[in-house]
Amino acid sequence: MISKSSLLAEPASPAHICPFDQACSYLEAAAKELNLNQGLLEILSHPRKVVTVSIPVKLDDGEIQVLAGHRVQHSDVLGPYKGGIRFYPAVTLREVSALAMLMTWKCALLGIPYGGGKGGIAIDPKRYSVGELERISRRYISELIKDIGPSVDIPAPDMGTSAREMAWMMDTYSVNIGHAVPGVVTGKPLSIGGSLGREMATGRGTMIIVREALADRGKSLVGVRVAIQGFGNVGCAAAELLYEAGAKIIAVSTGAGGIFSEVGLDIPALKVYAAENRKSIVGFPQSVAISNADLLTLPCDVLIPAALENQITEENVNQVQAQIVAEAANGPVTLEANLALEARGVIVLPDILANAGGVVVSYLEWVQGLSYVFWDEERVNREMEHLMVQAYRKVIHQSEVRQISLRLAAYTLGVGRVAQALTDRGLYP
Ligand code: NAD
């Protein structure tokens, strides 16, 4: 048993599932499988740096509110810290720490030269004006100015943030440094060095991994029945690309509820409908309203949770009917639910593989920025697909050789690579 970081003094989340404990459990399982020594495990189970800053912000009505902003840097053994910034009401330091750790294994699994980081502010961005969000984003980054940088820590979008926030953050960092530093964030708008293909990248990566898993079973995407929880950056892109490939998207949902269609939803039309209705999809023609809970247990071939963590739990796992669960969100299946699914032969495509497309294209954006050479979208997608398929194959191979689940296989590859690098670098002093 490893000791939980004393840096994380925050009380456990009121919900009974602590994301950081869960992340440590996966690490422990991988360490056991790899026979890692206790010292290495201790190092890997502690984030290297945990920063919480105060963000005073003047609201439009003149009132001042002080928010807490977190940035957790888990490991930079393989390269600069890399990870998104989340604006979501339920953000906690433990959650950010768990997500930073996941990023370390994800980057290592994909073979990209980054460590893991994550950031977040516990706000509901829908309750703030654009001006207020800009002031929050800028003050957050200026408070972290000494902790980030293109070779130190490179943020990216996550839940509740997008290219718009990345542009504000890049500008704030650049103004403070004294010159333009596009490489400080990824997921930027194209006008300031963003990459073609980045917006769709995470959803595209999920589509590729689902396609490969089906192909291994002699099936194609055509006609496959898919249910997707979440219709934001990731869920919407995955829906669009799967639809284009011939899959039947029978249900999607947002925080405001879901919709179902037995014959399959017209995803391009739904995208337009959501844009016109402030992201709400309920009421879309030729669909019936369903709850988020219903969506997870629909009869379908592939279930893609692409919203929040801890969505498939001990409580609902026995009702899940999909044969493949692709974790487009981070941590949507709890440890216990994962074991129950595996015991039933359900294929769980783990988050550090299934949603890695975003960080892969972030890496390609960073590479293009550093080399001042920008690629067309076809090249970006091709390079990304190559890395995703290669990682998928490695996971399958590891799972077959060691006779372990896909999740444990993915974790052993990621953790193993970081542990090897740590051993080779040695411990300072
Ligand atoms: P987003 O903010 O763009 O979209 C989130 C979606 O989830 C929205 O449609 C929202 O309505 C929905 N949602 C919120 N609460 C919900 C609830 N209770 N039930 C059902 N749906 C709910 O966020 P995103 O960038 O698409 O991220 C989604 C997930 O994917 C997160 O777990 C994130 O960490 C992960 N992820 C994102 C990226 C990326 O590139 N954006 C990369 C890797 C992983």
Side-chain angles (χ1 to χ4, degrees), residues 86 88 106 118 157-160 198 202 229-235 253-255 292 306-308 311 328-330 355 358:
R86 185 175 275 203
Y88 192 72
K106 192 186 297 183
K118 203 79 178 187
D158 195 82
M159 278 185 80
R198 175 60 183 88
T202 308
Q229 184 194 48
F231 202 61
N233 179 301
V234 179
S253 65
T254 70
N292 258 300
L308 307 168
Q311 295 302 293
N330 285 308
N355 71 26

Side-chain angles (χ1 to χ4, degrees), residues 287-299:
S287 72
V288 293
I290 55 167
S291 69
N292 258 300
D294 292 340
L295 180 136
L296 297 171
T297 57
L298 284 173

